[in-house]
PDB file of all heavy atoms in Angstrom:
ATOM      1  N   ASP B 271     -39.614  13.483 -14.470  1.00  0.00           N
ATOM      2  CA  ASP B 271     -39.257  13.427 -15.892  1.00  0.00           C
ATOM      3  C   ASP B 271     -38.154  12.410 -16.145  1.00  0.00           C
ATOM      4  O   ASP B 271     -38.204  11.628 -17.086  1.00  0.00           O
ATOM      5  CB  ASP B 271     -38.774  14.806 -16.375  1.00  0.00           C
ATOM      6  CG  ASP B 271     -39.924  15.788 -16.477  1.00  0.00           C
ATOM      7  OD1 ASP B 271     -41.092  15.328 -16.394  1.00  0.00           O
ATOM      8  OD2 ASP B 271     -39.661  16.997 -16.614  1.00  0.00           O
ATOM      9  N   TRP B 272     -37.144  12.458 -15.293  1.00  0.00           N
ATOM     10  CA  TRP B 272     -36.011  11.538 -15.481  1.00  0.00           C
ATOM     11  C   TRP B 272     -36.436  10.098 -15.212  1.00  0.00           C
ATOM     12  O   TRP B 272     -36.086   9.178 -15.949  1.00  0.00           O
ATOM     13  CB  TRP B 272     -34.829  11.933 -14.586  1.00  0.00           C
ATOM     14  CG  TRP B 272     -33.685  10.948 -14.635  1.00  0.00           C
ATOM     15  CD1 TRP B 272     -33.165  10.239 -13.609  1.00  0.00           C
ATOM     16  CD2 TRP B 272     -32.930  10.552 -15.801  1.00  0.00           C
ATOM     17  NE1 TRP B 272     -32.141   9.426 -14.033  1.00  0.00           N
ATOM     18  CE2 TRP B 272     -31.983   9.593 -15.379  1.00  0.00           C
ATOM     19  CE3 TRP B 272     -32.982  10.902 -17.160  1.00  0.00           C
ATOM     20  CZ2 TRP B 272     -31.071   8.992 -16.262  1.00  0.00           C
ATOM     21  CZ3 TRP B 272     -32.085  10.291 -18.036  1.00  0.00           C
ATOM     22  CH2 TRP B 272     -31.148   9.351 -17.587  1.00  0.00           C
ATOM     23  N   ARG B 273     -37.226   9.927 -14.170  1.00  0.00           N
ATOM     24  CA  ARG B 273     -37.670   8.571 -13.841  1.00  0.00           C
ATOM     25  C   ARG B 273     -38.486   7.994 -15.004  1.00  0.00           C
ATOM     26  O   ARG B 273     -38.260   6.860 -15.439  1.00  0.00           O
ATOM     27  CB  ARG B 273     -38.519   8.595 -12.561  1.00  0.00           C
ATOM     28  CG  ARG B 273     -38.780   7.215 -11.972  1.00  0.00           C
ATOM     29  CD  ARG B 273     -39.930   7.254 -10.993  1.00  0.00           C
ATOM     30  NE  ARG B 273     -41.127   7.764 -11.655  1.00  0.00           N
ATOM     31  CZ  ARG B 273     -42.094   8.460 -11.042  1.00  0.00           C
ATOM     32  NH1 ARG B 273     -41.995   8.741  -9.759  1.00  0.00           N
ATOM     33  NH2 ARG B 273     -43.140   8.891 -11.721  1.00  0.00           N
ATOM     34  N   ASP B 274     -39.421   8.784 -15.541  1.00  0.00           N
ATOM     35  CA  ASP B 274     -40.247   8.315 -16.652  1.00  0.00           C
ATOM     36  C   ASP B 274     -39.402   8.010 -17.888  1.00  0.00           C
ATOM     37  O   ASP B 274     -39.606   7.008 -18.572  1.00  0.00           O
ATOM     38  CB  ASP B 274     -41.327   9.353 -16.999  1.00  0.00           C
ATOM     39  CG  ASP B 274     -42.319   9.525 -15.853  1.00  0.00           C
ATOM     40  OD1 ASP B 274     -42.327   8.652 -14.951  1.00  0.00           O
ATOM     41  OD2 ASP B 274     -43.065  10.522 -15.846  1.00  0.00           O
ATOM     42  N   ARG B 275     -38.459   8.921 -18.136  1.00  0.00           N
ATOM     43  CA  ARG B 275     -37.583   8.761 -19.295  1.00  0.00           C
ATOM     44  C   ARG B 275     -36.760   7.467 -19.162  1.00  0.00           C
ATOM     45  O   ARG B 275     -36.602   6.715 -20.115  1.00  0.00           O
ATOM     46  CB  ARG B 275     -36.650   9.984 -19.359  1.00  0.00           C
ATOM     47  CG  ARG B 275     -35.559   9.920 -20.382  1.00  0.00           C
ATOM     48  CD  ARG B 275     -36.040  10.428 -21.724  1.00  0.00           C
ATOM     49  NE  ARG B 275     -34.988  10.294 -22.722  1.00  0.00           N
ATOM     50  CZ  ARG B 275     -35.202  10.069 -24.005  1.00  0.00           C
ATOM     51  NH1 ARG B 275     -36.433   9.997 -24.465  1.00  0.00           N
ATOM     52  NH2 ARG B 275     -34.208   9.953 -24.846  1.00  0.00           N
ATOM     53  N   TYR B 276     -36.251   7.256 -17.952  1.00  0.00           N
ATOM     54  CA  TYR B 276     -35.408   6.086 -17.675  1.00  0.00           C
ATOM     55  C   TYR B 276     -36.190   4.799 -17.929  1.00  0.00           C
ATOM     56  O   TYR B 276     -35.703   3.863 -18.563  1.00  0.00           O
ATOM     57  CB  TYR B 276     -34.935   6.159 -16.218  1.00  0.00           C
ATOM     58  CG  TYR B 276     -33.880   5.150 -15.809  1.00  0.00           C
ATOM     59  CD1 TYR B 276     -32.539   5.512 -15.758  1.00  0.00           C
ATOM     60  CD2 TYR B 276     -34.223   3.846 -15.449  1.00  0.00           C
ATOM     61  CE1 TYR B 276     -31.560   4.604 -15.367  1.00  0.00           C
ATOM     62  CE2 TYR B 276     -33.266   2.932 -15.060  1.00  0.00           C
ATOM     63  CZ  TYR B 276     -31.931   3.305 -15.020  1.00  0.00           C
ATOM     64  OH  TYR B 276     -30.986   2.399 -14.628  1.00  0.00           O
ATOM     65  N   ILE B 277     -37.422   4.780 -17.449  1.00  0.00           N
ATOM     66  CA  ILE B 277     -38.245   3.579 -17.607  1.00  0.00           C
ATOM     67  C   ILE B 277     -38.660   3.400 -19.062  1.00  0.00           C
ATOM     68  O   ILE B 277     -38.555   2.315 -19.633  1.00  0.00           O
ATOM     69  CB  ILE B 277     -39.479   3.644 -16.675  1.00  0.00           C
ATOM     70  CG1 ILE B 277     -39.011   3.541 -15.214  1.00  0.00           C
ATOM     71  CG2 ILE B 277     -40.484   2.541 -17.008  1.00  0.00           C
ATOM     72  CD1 ILE B 277     -40.069   3.896 -14.191  1.00  0.00           C
ATOM     73  N   GLU B 278     -39.061   4.536 -19.682  1.00  0.00           N
ATOM     74  CA  GLU B 278     -39.535   4.476 -21.066  1.00  0.00           C
ATOM     75  C   GLU B 278     -38.424   4.002 -22.007  1.00  0.00           C
ATOM     76  O   GLU B 278     -38.662   3.215 -22.925  1.00  0.00           O
ATOM     77  CB  GLU B 278     -40.037   5.878 -21.446  1.00  0.00           C
ATOM     78  CG  GLU B 278     -40.353   6.095 -22.895  1.00  0.00           C
ATOM     79  CD  GLU B 278     -40.229   7.589 -23.219  1.00  0.00           C
ATOM     80  OE1 GLU B 278     -40.980   8.387 -22.628  1.00  0.00           O
ATOM     81  OE2 GLU B 278     -39.357   7.956 -24.042  1.00  0.00           O
ATOM     82  N   GLN B 279     -37.202   4.481 -21.761  1.00  0.00           N
ATOM     83  CA  GLN B 279     -36.074   4.095 -22.623  1.00  0.00           C
ATOM     84  C   GLN B 279     -35.458   2.755 -22.204  1.00  0.00           C
ATOM     85  O   GLN B 279     -34.480   2.319 -22.806  1.00  0.00           O
ATOM     86  CB  GLN B 279     -34.980   5.167 -22.563  1.00  0.00           C
ATOM     87  CG  GLN B 279     -35.385   6.495 -23.175  1.00  0.00           C
ATOM     88  CD  GLN B 279     -35.548   6.394 -24.679  1.00  0.00           C
ATOM     89  OE1 GLN B 279     -34.707   5.827 -25.376  1.00  0.00           O
ATOM     90  NE2 GLN B 279     -36.644   6.931 -25.198  1.00  0.00           N
ATOM     91  N   ASN B 280     -35.975   2.187 -21.113  1.00  0.00           N
ATOM     92  CA  ASN B 280     -35.425   0.938 -20.575  1.00  0.00           C
ATOM     93  C   ASN B 280     -33.914   1.060 -20.345  1.00  0.00           C
ATOM     94  O   ASN B 280     -33.130   0.185 -20.717  1.00  0.00           O
ATOM     95  CB  ASN B 280     -35.735  -0.223 -21.534  1.00  0.00           C
ATOM     96  CG  ASN B 280     -35.544  -1.576 -20.845  1.00  0.00           C
ATOM     97  OD1 ASN B 280     -35.542  -1.652 -19.612  1.00  0.00           O
ATOM     98  ND2 ASN B 280     -35.347  -2.623 -21.628  1.00  0.00           N
ATOM     99  N   TYR B 281     -33.513   2.172 -19.726  1.00  0.00           N
ATOM    100  CA  TYR B 281     -32.090   2.423 -19.512  1.00  0.00           C
ATOM    101  C   TYR B 281     -31.440   1.417 -18.560  1.00  0.00           C
ATOM    102  O   TYR B 281     -30.228   1.324 -18.486  1.00  0.00           O
ATOM    103  CB  TYR B 281     -31.876   3.846 -18.979  1.00  0.00           C
ATOM    104  CG  TYR B 281     -31.869   4.898 -20.063  1.00  0.00           C
ATOM    105  CD1 TYR B 281     -32.399   6.167 -19.832  1.00  0.00           C
ATOM    106  CD2 TYR B 281     -31.316   4.626 -21.317  1.00  0.00           C
ATOM    107  CE1 TYR B 281     -32.388   7.135 -20.822  1.00  0.00           C
ATOM    108  CE2 TYR B 281     -31.299   5.597 -22.317  1.00  0.00           C
ATOM    109  CZ  TYR B 281     -31.835   6.848 -22.056  1.00  0.00           C
ATOM    110  OH  TYR B 281     -31.819   7.805 -23.037  1.00  0.00           O
ATOM    111  N   VAL B 282     -32.280   0.672 -17.848  1.00  0.00           N
ATOM    112  CA  VAL B 282     -31.727  -0.303 -16.914  1.00  0.00           C
ATOM    113  C   VAL B 282     -30.804  -1.298 -17.641  1.00  0.00           C
ATOM    114  O   VAL B 282     -29.868  -1.837 -17.066  1.00  0.00           O
ATOM    115  CB  VAL B 282     -32.869  -1.025 -16.148  1.00  0.00           C
ATOM    116  CG1 VAL B 282     -33.616  -1.987 -17.047  1.00  0.00           C
ATOM    117  CG2 VAL B 282     -32.360  -1.730 -14.908  1.00  0.00           C
ATOM    118  N   ARG B 283     -31.026  -1.450 -18.956  1.00  0.00           N
ATOM    119  CA  ARG B 283     -30.214  -2.446 -19.674  1.00  0.00           C
ATOM    120  C   ARG B 283     -28.840  -1.923 -20.039  1.00  0.00           C
ATOM    121  O   ARG B 283     -27.943  -2.679 -20.335  1.00  0.00           O
ATOM    122  CB  ARG B 283     -30.988  -2.949 -20.904  1.00  0.00           C
ATOM    123  CG  ARG B 283     -30.790  -2.187 -22.159  1.00  0.00           C
ATOM    124  CD  ARG B 283     -31.965  -2.234 -23.103  1.00  0.00           C
ATOM    125  NE  ARG B 283     -32.386  -0.882 -23.403  1.00  0.00           N
ATOM    126  CZ  ARG B 283     -31.758  -0.089 -24.272  1.00  0.00           C
ATOM    127  NH1 ARG B 283     -30.724  -0.514 -24.947  1.00  0.00           N
ATOM    128  NH2 ARG B 283     -32.177   1.140 -24.470  1.00  0.00           N
ATOM    129  N   LEU B 284     -28.624  -0.584 -20.038  1.00  0.00           N
ATOM    130  CA  LEU B 284     -27.283  -0.080 -20.376  1.00  0.00           C
ATOM    131  C   LEU B 284     -26.665   0.798 -19.289  1.00  0.00           C
ATOM    132  O   LEU B 284     -25.508   1.177 -19.389  1.00  0.00           O
ATOM    133  CB  LEU B 284     -27.294   0.652 -21.728  1.00  0.00           C
ATOM    134  CG  LEU B 284     -28.129   1.919 -21.928  1.00  0.00           C
ATOM    135  CD1 LEU B 284     -27.406   3.139 -21.354  1.00  0.00           C
ATOM    136  CD2 LEU B 284     -28.364   2.152 -23.408  1.00  0.00           C
ATOM    137  N   ASP B 285     -27.423   1.120 -18.246  1.00  0.00           N
ATOM    138  CA  ASP B 285     -26.909   1.957 -17.163  1.00  0.00           C
ATOM    139  C   ASP B 285     -25.680   1.283 -16.520  1.00  0.00           C
ATOM    140  O   ASP B 285     -25.808   0.200 -15.942  1.00  0.00           O
ATOM    141  CB  ASP B 285     -28.032   2.136 -16.121  1.00  0.00           C
ATOM    142  CG  ASP B 285     -27.626   3.047 -14.979  1.00  0.00           C
ATOM    143  OD1 ASP B 285     -26.430   3.368 -14.869  1.00  0.00           O
ATOM    144  OD2 ASP B 285     -28.526   3.428 -14.201  1.00  0.00           O
ATOM    145  N   PRO B 286     -24.491   1.906 -16.628  1.00  0.00           N
ATOM    146  CA  PRO B 286     -23.290   1.276 -16.056  1.00  0.00           C
ATOM    147  C   PRO B 286     -23.406   1.047 -14.546  1.00  0.00           C
ATOM    148  O   PRO B 286     -22.756   0.146 -14.004  1.00  0.00           O
ATOM    149  CB  PRO B 286     -22.174   2.283 -16.340  1.00  0.00           C
ATOM    150  CG  PRO B 286     -22.686   3.137 -17.443  1.00  0.00           C
ATOM    151  CD  PRO B 286     -24.175   3.186 -17.283  1.00  0.00           C
ATOM    152  N   VAL B 287     -24.246   1.840 -13.877  1.00  0.00           N
ATOM    153  CA  VAL B 287     -24.404   1.651 -12.428  1.00  0.00           C
ATOM    154  C   VAL B 287     -25.090   0.309 -12.158  1.00  0.00           C
ATOM    155  O   VAL B 287     -24.681  -0.459 -11.290  1.00  0.00           O
ATOM    156  CB  VAL B 287     -25.203   2.814 -11.806  1.00  0.00           C
ATOM    157  CG1 VAL B 287     -25.416   2.572 -10.319  1.00  0.00           C
ATOM    158  CG2 VAL B 287     -24.477   4.134 -12.036  1.00  0.00           C
ATOM    159  N   ILE B 288     -26.140   0.021 -12.942  1.00  0.00           N
ATOM    160  CA  ILE B 288     -26.830  -1.260 -12.780  1.00  0.00           C
ATOM    161  C   ILE B 288     -25.907  -2.413 -13.190  1.00  0.00           C
ATOM    162  O   ILE B 288     -25.750  -3.393 -12.461  1.00  0.00           O
ATOM    163  CB  ILE B 288     -28.119  -1.307 -13.642  1.00  0.00           C
ATOM    164  CG1 ILE B 288     -29.076  -0.177 -13.247  1.00  0.00           C
ATOM    165  CG2 ILE B 288     -28.781  -2.670 -13.541  1.00  0.00           C
ATOM    166  CD1 ILE B 288     -29.813  -0.375 -11.959  1.00  0.00           C
ATOM    167  N   ILE B 289     -25.281  -2.257 -14.356  1.00  0.00           N
ATOM    168  CA  ILE B 289     -24.431  -3.332 -14.864  1.00  0.00           C
ATOM    169  C   ILE B 289     -23.241  -3.574 -13.932  1.00  0.00           C
ATOM    170  O   ILE B 289     -22.861  -4.705 -13.649  1.00  0.00           O
ATOM    171  CB  ILE B 289     -23.955  -3.009 -16.307  1.00  0.00           C
ATOM    172  CG1 ILE B 289     -25.170  -3.063 -17.245  1.00  0.00           C
ATOM    173  CG2 ILE B 289     -22.851  -3.956 -16.757  1.00  0.00           C
ATOM    174  CD1 ILE B 289     -24.963  -2.384 -18.570  1.00  0.00           C
ATOM    175  N   GLY B 290     -22.661  -2.482 -13.417  1.00  0.00           N
ATOM    176  CA  GLY B 290     -21.485  -2.599 -12.559  1.00  0.00           C
ATOM    177  C   GLY B 290     -21.805  -3.095 -11.160  1.00  0.00           C
ATOM    178  O   GLY B 290     -20.921  -3.570 -10.457  1.00  0.00           O
TER     179      GLY B 290
END
Side-chain angles (χ1 to χ4, degrees):
Chain B
D271 288 348
W272 174 240
R273 192 197 57 211
D274 295 345
R275 173 87 183 149
Y276 189 99
I277 292 167
E278 170 205 298
Q279 293 292 314
N280 196 20
Y281 278 145
V282 72
R283 89 208 124 78
L284 63 80
D285 183 349
V287 177
I288 301 285
I289 292 163

